[in-house]
Amino acid sequence: MNAYSLRRRLMLRFAETPAIGIGMAFALLLASLGLAYHNEDQARAEKVREVQVQARVLAASLAGPLAFDDDAAAHEYIDALKASPDFVAVGAYGADGHLVAGFARAGEPLPRINRVGLPAVRGAELIVTAEVEQGGTRLGSVYLGAATEIWSRRAARYLGIAIVIIMACLLVAVLAAFYASVSAANRRLQAEIAGRQEAEEALHQSQKMEAMGQLTGGVAHDFNNLLMVASSGMELLERTTDPVRRDRLKEGIRQAIERGAKLTQQLLTFARRSPLTPQVLDVRARIRGLQDLLERSLREDIAVEFDFPDGLWPIEVDPSQLDVALLNIAINARDAMPEGGVICIGAHNHPAERDEGDMVHLSVRDTGAGIDPASIEKVFEPFYTTQSVGSGTGLGLSQVYGF
Amino acid sequence: MAHLTRLLAFAGLLTALSGRAAAADLPLEYAVKASYLYKFAPFVQWPPAAFESAIDPLTICIAGQDPFGKMLDDAVRGQRVNGHLIVVRHIDALRPGVACHILFAGSGAGAEELLHAVAHQPVLTVTDRSRGVAGGMIQFVMVNGRVRFMIDQGAAEESGVAISSKLLGLAVSVVR
């Protein structure tokens, strides 16, 4: 695991530096240099072989003229080679090693005495010598000087391909640098996305807290009422001895305490910081369970109605997010109805269309003032609010949108 | 008359001078011929039966009057052709046990007889026209003061001796 992550980090580091690309470009350059050297070497060996063959052919044809001092024939054979500009010097030597016939173009003159040896390069000349032999008898030797390609012409020949290779190397290096920079940018982007996600989560939490704040007022009032019921019940309990009345009072106190406990439970559940965990649930039961919480966050002059037909499909949703969204919308509706009114929460099945899946359509409707067309586009913007400073954050509906 | 006498005398002197010059040239001419005589060997192929073994010497037989003397012996000393050491023998008649590969027939009746005797044996016969002997497969001639040769390829083939085209190419004439 450790080794794996280390290797991964190393690879990342490599990807972010153009080292690999530059290395590849260098390797490419080296390979082409090697290839060029190899080619050059082979071409040279081939040239040597070629000239050696020509020297042997010349030696064979000169056997007779050298043996029988036929200078005219020797000249004829040698002059035949004059036609080729490749041969800069050709000489035929007798058995005693002295020059019999030959020619030398510009450059070094023919040696007076020929010494047969291995092919040699003298300046721009490849010199090949061969024995003239017939039937095992040495009759003389030949000397062949062939022009080799001069350095500058060879360089010119390689220049074109060298330019192509260098361009390719540059391209590889540039691509590698580009890839490295893209890779680095990608990593920064990933980090930024992670940061954004964190911030979004924090925002969600704060939105929840906002809803909590809204709730608190109603809940405190409710608790007060419940406590009032309980404490007055206790007082009455102490004053009376009638068992029937005492039982009724005890029942009333227990109910008040139970409602208080339930309320607390709901608040705790709501406030708990929980990640988005979708689960399959019955939307009707869930929203009905929310009724107490809704009533406490709304005013007495606002009634809540439910419109859930039978046979509603179960839905997959994060329950706490659904609660918060509904609460936010309900609070929004409450603020839109200062004179009081009705909030109607309804749902109906929405069968699949095109490539979407089956859905349940959930709607919240109020009897308030409505929203003017200019504002309707902005309702989901964070921090957009029509309320005065201090009475709202403008985050409620943006949470709904995020959900 | 006196004039004529002087002219004659001059002509005589000229003749004498040219004769001396020819005499001086003679050793050089024969040295060349001697070296050619053994240099023919690499260009000629004898049937395998001509040699008893691979290390058998290649024999140059001189029949009749020998114009070369020591020059030929000097020329062939240590020379080898296809591994065969070259030796020179002087003969006056064919004897069993003495194989000739090259026969040079100098002037003399015996020499011409020998030439006829080996006509159908694998022997390369060489004669010298300038010495008045003809009939060899290779005949020395003088062309522009240089030693050249004529080749009778038909006679050579008849006797089983193959002459290289390289040698044929150098001959002043080839009879097929």
Side-chain angles (χ1 to χ4, degrees), chain B residues 6-173:
Chain B
R6 224 177 307 153
L7 197 73
L8 275 172
F10 182 68
L13 188 69
L14 248 176
T15 318
L17 271 175
S18 65
R20 207 172 299 154
D25 272 350
L26 227 56
L28 180 64
E29 184 192 323
Y30 282 97
V32 169
K33 282 175 183 169
S35 86
Y36 284 10
L37 197 56
Y38 89 84
K39 277 181 186 170
F40 287 138
F43 296 92
V44 172
Q45 205 158 13
W46 282 269
F51 293 98
E52 271 171 32
S53 77
I55 52 161
D56 250 19
L58 190 147
T59 314
I60 300 175
C61 297
I62 309 291
Q65 199 218 335
D66 178 9
F68 309 119
K70 245 176 76 72
M71 283 186 292
L72 183 60
D73 296 294
D74 289 341
V76 305
R77 188 165 299 127
Q79 295 286 354
R80 277 173 188 277
V81 175
N82 286 326
H84 303 288
L85 196 69
I86 300 177
V87 294
V88 179
R89 272 170 185 273
H90 293 87
I91 57 167
D92 39 29
L94 278 180
R95 279 195 204 105
V98 174
C100 285
H101 298 102
I102 299 175
L103 173 68
F104 178 82
S107 51
E112 290 199 18
E113 253 170 58
L114 263 177
L115 217 51
H116 291 295
V118 300
H120 292 285
Q121 292 177 28
V123 176
L124 181 78
T125 53
V126 182
T127 53
D128 190 351
R129 273 231 173 157
S130 49
R131 293 184 72 83
V133 185
M137 295 168 192
I138 297 178
Q139 303 181 31
F140 285 122
V141 289
M142 294 302 287
V143 176
N144 297 333
R146 300 185 74 100
V147 179
R148 303 264 56 117
F149 42 84
M150 294 169 10
I151 298 176
D152 184 349
Q153 200 193 356
E157 267 172 13
E158 232 168 76
S159 63
V161 173
I163 298 176
S164 161
S165 61
K166 290 178 190 170
L167 193 60
L168 296 174
L170 291 172
V172 275
S173 75

Side-chain angles (χ1 to χ4, degrees), chain A residues 215-384:
Chain A
L215 273 173
T216 313
V219 169
H221 181 72
D222 234 51
F223 263 108
N224 240 0
N225 282 349
L226 291 173
L227 289 173
M228 201 63 142
V229 169
S231 87
S232 57
M234 289 289 278
E235 218 166 283
L236 289 170
L237 201 62
E238 278 166 10
R239 282 192 202 156
T240 183
T241 50
D242 178 14
V244 179
R245 249 195 107 184
R246 278 180 77 107
D247 280 351
R248 225 175 41 227
L249 282 170
K250 273 193 263 179
E251 186 56 32
I253 294 168
R254 191 178 296 118
Q255 270 184 6
I257 291 170
E258 270 170 16
R259 280 191 71 176
K262 199 176 154 198
L263 203 58
T264 315
Q265 195 57 48
Q266 274 184 327
L267 277 175
L268 282 176
T269 312
F270 178 70
R272 205 172 63 219
R273 189 194 180 99
S274 58
L276 204 68
T277 48
Q279 58 195 68
V280 177
L281 52 84
D282 176 10
V283 68
R284 179 153 56 164
R286 183 75 197 182
I287 293 174
R288 278 201 197 284
L290 204 63
Q291 193 172 3
D292 285 342
L293 212 56
L294 278 171
E295 277 170 4
R296 260 152 214 91
S297 30
L298 305 175
R299 293 188 308 269
E300 285 85 355
D301 57 353
I302 292 171
V304 179
E305 281 179 8
F306 295 104
D307 173 23
F308 295 123
D310 287 335
L312 209 56
W313 294 330
I315 56 169
E316 189 182 23
V317 70
D318 181 87
S320 61
Q321 290 285 324
L322 176 66
D323 294 353
V324 174
L326 275 174
L327 267 175
N328 273 325
I329 299 172
I331 289 162
N332 216 60
R334 177 200 67 190
D335 295 341
M337 298 185 292
E339 313 290 310
V342 179
I343 293 175
C344 182
I345 300 175
H348 63 264
N349 288 339
H350 186 84
E353 269 177 23
R354 287 191 296 275
D355 53 346
E356 299 169 333
D358 286 334
M359 288 187 290
V360 169
H361 187 276
L362 196 61
S363 64
V364 179
R365 199 171 66 235
D366 66 39
T367 55
I371 306 168
D372 64 88
S375 307
I376 196 124
E377 287 174 0
K378 301 188 194 164
V379 293
F380 289 128
E381 282 178 19
F383 304 108
Y384 177 77

Side-chain angles (χ1 to χ4, degrees), chain A residues 42-82:
Chain A
Q42 271 201 329
R44 207 184 83 87
E46 205 167 300
K47 175 86 180 168
V48 168
R49 267 202 305 280
E50 201 179 290
V51 178
Q52 271 177 326
V53 166
Q54 264 149 340
R56 251 175 260 144
V57 169
L58 180 67
S61 49
L62 282 176
L66 284 179
F68 301 104
D69 309 317
D70 195 332
D71 294 355
H75 272 293
E76 233 168 76
Y77 284 121
I78 283 169
D79 285 351
L81 289 181
K82 237 182 197 169

